[in-house]
Amino acid sequence: MGKASEFIHEKEAKSTDDALTFARWWQDESISKDVKTFAIMAARVIVLARRCHSGKLLDDKIAIWADQAGISHADIAPEGRYASLMNSMVAVMQSGARGESTEESCAALKKYE
């Protein structure tokens, strides 16, 4: 019983730490919230497309979102000013999507089409 309680406490502490880390990142003004929102949405679509094995990346949608956020293709290309943000956001989304089945990923991807 004690080990189970300790495990639950550790898991809750990790969740709290993760939430605080995200909140600090979101409040950091060095990157605009429009860019952060774009990175989250684009990374989610990229990860869903990979998990769904659809081969359909929704490049047009991502380009529209980038334009709305004032981001050029060069900004998110390798070596672009937001390349590391995109890479880290994709990694975060991949980690979060591990619990999703292929069917769930495909259904979620359809919502962005």
Side-chain angles (χ1 to χ4, degrees):
M1 183 79 152
K3 287 191 182 223
S5 176
E6 185 178 318
F7 174 77
I8 290 169
H9 177 70
E10 287 174 7
K11 190 171 181 174
E12 287 174 350
K14 171 83 170 105
S15 293
T16 300
D17 289 346
D18 290 348
L20 289 172
T21 298
F22 178 81
R24 280 188 218 101
W25 173 77
W26 187 255
Q27 295 301 319
D28 179 0
E29 295 179 6
S30 64
I31 299 175
S32 77
K33 287 190 169 80
D34 287 343
V35 171
K36 292 173 189 174
T37 300
F38 164 78
I40 291 168
M41 291 173 56
R44 176 72 171 148
V45 167
I46 290 167
V47 169
L48 289 173
R50 288 179 184 167
R51 292 183 58 78
C52 188
H53 308 292
S54 72
K56 189 174 191 178
L57 187 54
L58 300 179
D59 288 334
D60 293 342
K61 280 279 192 197
I62 292 172
I64 290 168
W65 296 336
D67 186 53
Q68 290 171 340
I71 300 170
S72 73
H73 180 71
D75 289 337
I76 56 176
E79 305 303 320
R81 70 179 177 168
Y82 299 125
S84 66
L85 171 64
M86 287 303 303
N87 289 336
S88 65
M89 193 56 62
V90 168
V92 167
M93 291 293 170
Q94 282 177 325
S95 175
R98 284 192 186 116
E100 289 179 328
S101 69
T102 301
E103 294 79 22
E104 290 170 321
S105 295
C106 294
L109 183 62
K110 286 181 192 269
K111 294 176 186 177
Y112 294 100
E113 293 176 342

